[in-house]
Amino acid sequence: MKDRDYLIARGILQLTHAMRKRNNACLKAVGLTDEQTKSLIYLVDSQRKDMTIRDLKDYLLVSHQATQGIVKRMADKGVISVKKSDRDGREKIIAPTEKGIRIRQQLGGEAVDIGENLLAGISEEEKEQFYKVLLKALDNVDRKDRL
């Protein structure tokens, strides 16, 4: 029983490693880090015209200083624009550029490919069962982290 549990845990770690490796290769191809990618996806998909650095900070759950660094590097790469808010000069409005939108579209295709590869050859019934077990496992990890 313990051997099987070990093999399952090891398999999950191997799967995680393989997906992270594939994901990092995709990100490297577009020149973004993981946090920058999460930020870009959030900015593009939200379609908000009044997104602030504070809004992004709240989404990423990181410090204001970390968010400012992420925003600065993304602006330097030309994937977002930053301007002062007309409403409050202390706030900065951030928005994806055309380049950022193109990269987001490219990333969407890569994410679909990763998902399709991961689930290839798995029946709908198996996917449903896998999803239920996955949610339980994530809940177990979250619960352990809260203790």
Side-chain angles (χ1 to χ4, degrees):
M1 193 61 82
K2 288 288 183 190
D3 288 342
R4 184 186 62 204
D5 291 354
Y6 170 78
L7 292 174
I8 291 170
R10 180 127 173 88
I12 291 170
L13 289 174
Q14 289 172 317
L15 176 62
T16 302
H17 176 74
M19 291 185 69
R20 182 173 287 131
K21 184 177 176 182
R22 174 93 186 265
N23 186 52
N24 286 341
C26 293
L27 298 182
K28 187 176 182 181
V30 297
L32 298 177
T33 67
D34 186 49
E35 288 297 307
Q36 291 168 355
T37 301
K38 286 181 205 171
S39 300
L40 183 62
I41 290 170
Y42 180 63
L43 287 169
V44 173
D45 292 358
S46 74
Q47 298 184 351
R48 283 184 48 193
K49 303 293 183 207
D50 62 345
M51 182 77 66
T52 65
I53 291 176
R54 179 180 299 202
D55 295 327
L56 184 59
K57 174 190 85 69
D58 292 343
Y59 172 74
L60 294 174
L61 300 174
V62 298
S63 71
H64 187 71
Q65 291 81 6
T67 308
Q68 286 179 314
I70 292 166
V71 166
K72 181 183 181 332
R73 288 185 290 280
M74 290 176 71
D76 289 348
K77 293 176 182 181
V79 296
I80 65 168
S81 63
V82 181
K83 68 174 188 160
K84 284 187 179 182
S85 169
D86 294 334
R87 183 182 57 199
D88 181 346
R90 296 171 295 177
E91 286 188 329
K92 299 276 195 309
I93 303 296
I94 52 178
T97 62
E98 288 299 318
K99 178 181 178 181
I101 292 168
R102 281 193 311 274
I103 289 173
R104 167 60 182 114
Q105 291 166 340
Q106 181 181 347
L107 290 169
E110 294 293 337
V112 168
D113 289 346
I114 291 171
E116 286 176 353
N117 287 339
L118 173 68
L119 299 173
I122 298 175
S123 72
E124 290 303 315
E125 183 180 315
E126 290 170 323
K127 288 176 189 176
E128 182 64 31
Q129 188 175 15
F130 179 69
Y131 183 65
K132 288 177 182 176
V133 172
L134 178 64
L135 291 179
K136 285 181 183 180
L138 289 169
D139 188 51
N140 289 342
V141 171
D142 286 346
R143 189 176 316 121
K144 181 128 181 143
D145 286 345
R146 289 188 299 254
L147 297 177

